[in-house]
Amino acid sequence: MNCKLIDVFYRKCDNIKILKQAVRKNCGIVMEFKKRNTNTMRTRGHHKQVLLFLIAVVLPSSVLIVLTWHMIGQQQELSEKRLADERLRLATEIGQKLLVHLEEIKLHEVSATASGAKSLNTLEYTSGEVILTGLADGERLLLPWEMSPTNNRLSMGKTAFFQKIRRAEEEEFVRRRYAQADTLYLEGIEEAQQPSQQAYARLLRARVLTKSDELEESLAEYRRILAVSSEITDEHGIGFCLYAAGHLLERGDSYNEVMQLIRSELSAQRWLSPAESYIVLDLVNVLIKSGPEFGIRQQAAEDCQRKILKHISRQEKALALQKDFGKLALTAQLKSPEQEPESTWAAYGEEPWLVSLAPALPGGQRLAIIVRGESILDSITSSTPYSETILANVRFTTGAGVEGESLGPSFPGLKLAYATDGKASLLSDWGPQRSFYLIALLLVLCVTLFGAYFLWRDVGRELQMAEMRSQFIASVSHELKTPLTAIRIFAETLLLGRPEDPQAKSEYLDTIVNESHRLTRLLNNVLDFSKIEKGNRTYRKEPACLSEVVNAAAQATQYPLRQQGFHLNVHMEGELPEVRVDRDAIEQAIQNLLSNAMKYSGESREIDLRVQKRDGQAVIEVTDQGIGIDAAQQKRIFEKFYRVPSEENERIPGTGLGLALIFHIVQAHGGHIEVQSIIGKGSTFSIYLPLENKR
Ligand code: ADP
């Protein structure tokens, strides 16, 4: 700043205060510029750190994670392929075993049938896995009950017997002359030439006797029919005894006899016709309803119900098979009966039945053998020595588009489906390896995250430190610039011979002295701090009177206190014992506290300096009624370079070193420092020093 500028300042600023303000303002601009510069540098540094972090940590670990993940995927694929191969191999093996087993069954069944050892209508087969056998008549399948012998079946005709029956029915239904009808039915019974004709005539007689209210006689007739063999049937193949049983039960008669009849029918190992099955089911239902609620008889009836229902469901599936027989994958064989059938087993239905054709029987027809697929599969899988996990829940599936392994050309449309929930366990050999990879991946992730966290923390700290340092440099420069500028301006003003007033002159000189004191204090702080950092700071402790030390410090701050209009209240407790201290250091500490009290007093102009003895220690307290410190910040203000980050604080110049120095000095003296502060109300800093002589 040249003389011209000083002249302008001097002319414009009619008093010393305005001149000082101008100096401060000038330096403030410099400070602001430096701060901005520092911020830009900090941001650049920050970006660099982030980039470094990304390249050094995030990139390699991401590559590692992707590679491991890829490897896990590949391993998984490999295991799945191995599993698929294994499944295919097993399916082929099971298919071969199945074929051998089925062909054996077929052979036994054919030879038993061909030798005439068993009838086609029987339910007893050479193997428990056979469900039914039928005759393939071209593309039509003859079911067992359609092949039952017809010699005991009623055959209608125009014989004398039937003419008599016609006449009797005319009497019964047209003329309603029941007695005549009864007589004619009786004659019919006597003239009957076959058991079926006799049973038929009895049934009609029992009916007419019921109509003519001869109930006892009609019941007796029904009972007689009930005793007739179930093989004596009407023209539809239904045993007459079943009709009689229905009538008897309707009248609440012959419960036990009917039960007996049904039980023997169900255990006769003979395929009932569908009509017979439904009649038996009706009779069983009536037995259940009319019988006693509990007890053996009821149980027997329910048992019969279960049996007949099972029979009916098998029969229904057999009827459905009969309908679809031509569509089975055996068509080629069905169309050319002379050709030897291959070993083909076609699947039919949900829980598939396996259907195959045997070579021609002596009569030229082909025997169709139908077996229960699942039970054979169970017996084969249980005898196949292989991992239980693969074969658990294995089942047959049919139909196009269904997932599963083909069992070979002998089983068209039939596939082996492995349970999907077994898949995980099927991969079990890859399981431990995969767990190892996953754990390793997890470890890498954890280590990377830890590393990232520590790096991030260190970078953060470094950034914070760098920020604090640059702030410190800016603050120190500013702190130096302000008193230096003031000294120069006032000295140059005096050199120009202005002002002429001797009192003003002495005020200028006072300012120069005071600003140079301030400079010294600041430089002392910086130098001391540098010594502390290097570990060179030493203290020359000597016994001293504390009140003298405190007074000296208060005296040294008199000028700035007065200049800024502060009122310092000093309270000394009488008879303070001696303390062993480095006088200069403690004075410096008290001056720093007083200087802070002035800086952070806000509008208040009252400062208290108190010295007393408490709990066997000497306590020096500096209290202001200024801006105060937030509780969360109170712990950090003793850190080096730390300044409370508030807007208000930013406007107050400072280096963040004062309290760090006091902290070090007090600790070196075996004491400690405390702060109590309330935002907006003020702060009290207390230095505790051990007494030389604890009296
Ligand atoms: P500075 O040079 O910034 O004053 P110090 O180390 O002396 O550095 O103080 C650290 C911080 O503590 C200050 O920036 C200020 O925010 C806070 N502080 C110190 N003394 C007081 C006080 N008497 N009242 C309010 N805040 C204070």
Side-chain angles (χ1 to χ4, degrees):
M1 205 174 286
N2 56 29
C3 303
K4 229 176 171 183
L5 191 60
I6 296 167
D7 218 27
V8 174
F9 266 138
Y10 187 73
R11 249 182 267 128
K12 278 197 176 172
C13 313
D14 51 348
N15 64 36
I16 192 160
K17 256 190 191 161
I18 298 174
L19 190 57
K20 275 186 173 175
Q21 272 170 12
V23 171
R24 281 210 186 98
K25 201 172 167 191
N26 191 21
C27 295
I29 294 164
V30 177
M31 173 91 168
E32 188 57 35
F33 170 74
K34 277 187 183 158
K35 211 184 256 174
R36 264 189 226 153
N37 245 5
T38 324
N39 277 347
T40 325
M41 275 163 59
R42 205 189 313 148
T43 322
R44 261 191 226 137
H46 185 75
H47 283 158
K48 208 170 154 190
Q49 298 279 10
V50 171
L51 198 71
L52 262 176
F53 172 73
L54 285 176
I55 293 170
V57 179
V58 178
L59 195 69
S61 47
S62 309
V63 170
L64 197 70
I65 289 166
V66 168
L67 281 179
T68 318
W69 195 251
H70 183 67
M71 201 166 71
I72 289 178
Q74 270 185 339
Q75 287 282 1
Q76 181 111 5
E77 245 173 59
L78 208 74
S79 309
E80 275 179 0
K81 196 175 167 323
R82 269 214 314 268
L83 169 70
D85 290 349
E86 197 51 42
R87 281 176 165 182
L88 197 68
R89 193 189 67 73
L90 263 178
T92 317
E93 190 184 322
I94 289 176
Q96 281 164 359
K97 282 189 180 178
L98 192 66
L99 189 63
V100 170
H101 190 77
L102 288 172
E103 286 302 308
E104 211 174 304
I105 292 175
K106 194 202 271 183
L107 199 71
H108 284 140
E109 201 57 44
V110 171
S111 52
T113 314
S115 67
K118 61 187 271 291
S119 104
L120 282 167
N121 187 27
T122 182
L123 264 169
E124 273 173 318
Y125 297 104
T126 52
S127 159
E129 281 136 1
V130 178
I131 287 175
L132 71 105
T133 55
L135 282 182
D137 185 9
E139 284 190 26
R140 184 175 149 69
L141 174 70
L142 285 174
L143 293 168
W145 56 89
E146 293 169 336
M147 295 177 286
S148 43
T150 50
N151 40 354
N152 283 328
R153 206 177 264 198
L154 180 71
S155 53
M156 297 299 222
K158 289 190 176 163
T159 57
F161 170 76
F162 281 108
Q163 278 166 6
K164 189 139 282 168
I165 295 295
R166 283 289 97 71
R167 274 175 43 218
E169 280 177 336
E170 265 176 39
E171 289 297 328
E172 183 184 347
F173 293 106
V174 183
R175 297 186 198 97
R176 296 185 185 274
R177 295 195 303 202
Y178 300 135
Q180 277 82 342
D182 179 33
T183 317
L184 285 170
Y185 284 137
L186 262 176
E187 285 171 19
I189 293 169
E190 271 156 34
E191 284 168 25
Q193 281 156 13
Q194 290 162 0
S196 57
Q197 286 179 348
Q198 196 180 52
Y200 180 53
R202 281 191 190 286
L203 198 66
L204 302 182
R205 183 175 177 247
R207 182 179 69 200
V208 86
L209 285 172
T210 312
K211 284 183 187 169
S212 58
D213 277 341
E214 289 174 71
L215 297 179
E216 272 311 308
E217 190 51 28
S218 84
L219 274 178
E221 204 62 82
Y222 279 131
R223 282 190 209 115
R224 262 175 238 128
I225 306 167
L226 189 68
V228 171
S229 157
S230 62
E231 284 173 16
I232 311 296
T233 67
D234 66 0
E235 68 272 33
H236 306 295
I238 299 166
F240 286 106
C241 55
L242 293 178
Y243 292 115
H247 289 290
L248 287 166
L249 282 185
E250 218 172 81
R251 304 228 198 128
D253 194 80
S254 305
Y255 183 98
N256 289 335
E257 288 76 5
V258 174
M259 172 73 89
Q260 188 57 40
L261 169 75
I262 287 169
R263 287 174 79 174
S264 69
E265 278 299 293
L266 291 176
S267 57
Q269 297 297 341
R270 162 180 89 83
W271 275 96
L272 299 175
S273 71
E276 276 178 310
S277 301
Y278 284 106
I279 291 174
V280 170
L281 179 65
D282 281 347
L283 290 174
V284 170
N285 288 340
V286 176
L287 281 176
I288 289 175
K289 268 189 221 147
S290 59
E293 257 184 41
F294 303 105
I296 298 170
R297 287 203 317 188
Q298 183 71 5
Q299 264 179 22
E302 281 170 4
D303 199 35
C304 290
Q305 190 187 40
R306 265 192 298 279
K307 276 190 187 160
I308 190 65
L309 283 174
K310 201 171 150 200
H311 190 84
I312 287 174
S313 93
R314 206 201 285 197
Q315 212 160 36
E316 277 172 357
K317 193 163 172 182
L319 284 167
L321 170 67
Q322 187 180 44
K323 242 205 250 159
D324 298 334
F325 192 63
K327 294 181 211 151
L328 289 184
L330 307 164
T331 331
Q333 299 170 39
L334 293 170
K335 280 180 185 158
S336 52
E338 62 287 342
Q339 187 191 321
E340 272 294 292
E342 297 154 19
S343 309
T344 306
W345 289 83
Y348 180 76
E350 277 281 301
E351 280 177 3
W353 284 0
L354 303 178
V355 187
S356 185
L357 291 176
L361 290 172
Q365 286 161 313
R366 277 184 169 170
L367 188 68
I369 296 151
I370 296 121
V371 296
R372 198 181 286 110
E374 295 292 346
S375 60
I376 300 183
L377 181 66
D378 284 348
S379 70
I380 286 178
T381 51
S382 60
S383 67
T384 304
Y386 201 78
S387 148
E388 274 176 24
T389 46
I390 290 196
L391 291 179
N393 301 328
V394 70
R395 61 191 165 77
F396 284 138
T397 53
T398 50
V402 183
E403 238 185 79
E405 301 300 340
S406 163
L407 284 158
S410 296
F411 301 96
L414 187 68
K415 287 178 182 169
L416 204 61
Y418 296 91
T420 41
D421 57 337
K423 196 174 168 182
S425 48
L426 293 172
L427 298 171
S428 57
D429 53 333
W430 147 241
Q433 215 178 334
R434 190 175 55 168
S435 310
F436 171 76
Y437 281 130
L438 282 177
I439 290 171
L441 191 67
L442 213 72
L443 268 176
V444 169
L445 254 175
C446 285
V447 170
T448 313
L449 284 179
F450 261 112
Y453 168 71
F454 285 122
L455 191 71
W456 192 259
R457 205 185 57 171
D458 282 3
V459 166
R461 274 190 192 160
E462 217 166 277
L463 281 176
Q464 211 178 359
M465 213 56 197
E467 186 187 327
M468 279 176 164
R469 268 200 206 108
S470 50
Q471 203 178 356
F472 166 73
I473 291 167
S475 309
V476 169
S477 322
H478 174 68
E479 289 272 283
L480 285 174
K481 190 129 189 149
T482 313
L484 267 177
T485 314
I487 289 168
R488 213 180 68 211
I489 289 176
F490 284 107
E492 283 177 2
T493 313
L494 284 171
L495 210 66
L496 287 172
R498 293 190 179 130
E500 279 150 20
D501 178 17
Q503 201 192 331
K505 263 187 192 167
S506 107
E507 230 175 277
Y508 276 31
L509 286 170
D510 266 355
T511 310
I512 290 170
V513 172
N514 187 51
E515 290 298 319
S516 49
H517 277 310
R518 192 172 142 197
L519 258 181
T520 315
R521 215 171 39 244
L522 178 70
L523 287 174
N524 278 347
N525 274 354
V526 176
L527 287 174
D528 278 356
F529 176 72
S530 135
K531 277 188 195 162
I532 289 171
E533 285 288 278
K534 285 184 194 157
N536 290 343
R537 178 72 166 103
T538 50
Y539 297 96
R540 263 192 303 128
K541 294 179 201 163
E542 285 164 359
C545 173
L546 200 55
S547 44
E548 272 177 38
V549 181
V550 173
N551 272 330
Q555 203 55 45
T557 45
Q558 263 320 306
Y559 183 79
L561 282 167
R562 206 177 51 243
Q563 278 286 305
Q564 293 171 46
F566 277 97
H567 185 240
L568 178 69
N569 307 308
V570 184
H571 313 271
M572 295 273 191
E573 205 178 70
E575 272 209 40
L576 275 171
E578 277 197 333
V579 283
R580 203 178 146 72
V581 292
D582 180 326
R583 271 188 80 108
D584 292 343
I586 297 295
E587 254 188 64
Q588 190 187 6
I590 299 168
Q591 279 182 37
N592 279 352
L593 284 184
L594 288 172
S595 162
N596 277 356
M598 282 189 271
K599 279 201 290 186
Y600 303 107
S601 261
E603 298 295 307
S604 154
R605 284 294 172 265
E606 288 295 323
I607 298 174
D608 291 301
L609 175 60
R610 194 170 271 107
V611 188
Q612 55 191 315
K613 206 175 91 180
R614 199 190 297 157
D615 302 332
Q617 295 179 85
V619 186
I620 306 162
E621 271 179 0
V622 175
T623 306
D624 63 61
Q625 286 150 31
I627 59 174
I629 309 162
D630 185 52
Q633 301 288 333
Q634 288 176 18
K635 272 186 208 143
R636 299 205 60 191
I637 53 174
F638 298 101
E639 289 172 17
K640 57 188 175 188
F641 305 131
Y642 189 79
R643 306 203 68 224
V644 173
S646 71
E647 226 175 85
E648 201 170 6
N649 218 24
E650 289 222 336
R651 287 197 297 270
I652 304 168
T655 56
L657 278 185
L659 287 179
L661 270 176
I662 301 174
F663 187 80
H664 190 269
I665 293 169
V666 174
Q667 265 202 336
H669 283 80
H672 68 278
I673 180 163
E674 283 177 6
V675 60
Q676 281 172 329
S677 185
I678 298 171
I679 284 275
K681 296 234 162 130
S683 320
T684 298
F685 284 86
S686 315
I687 293 176
Y688 288 80
L689 292 173
L691 289 173
E692 167 79 340
N693 215 334
K694 294 187 180 171
R695 266 179 293 161

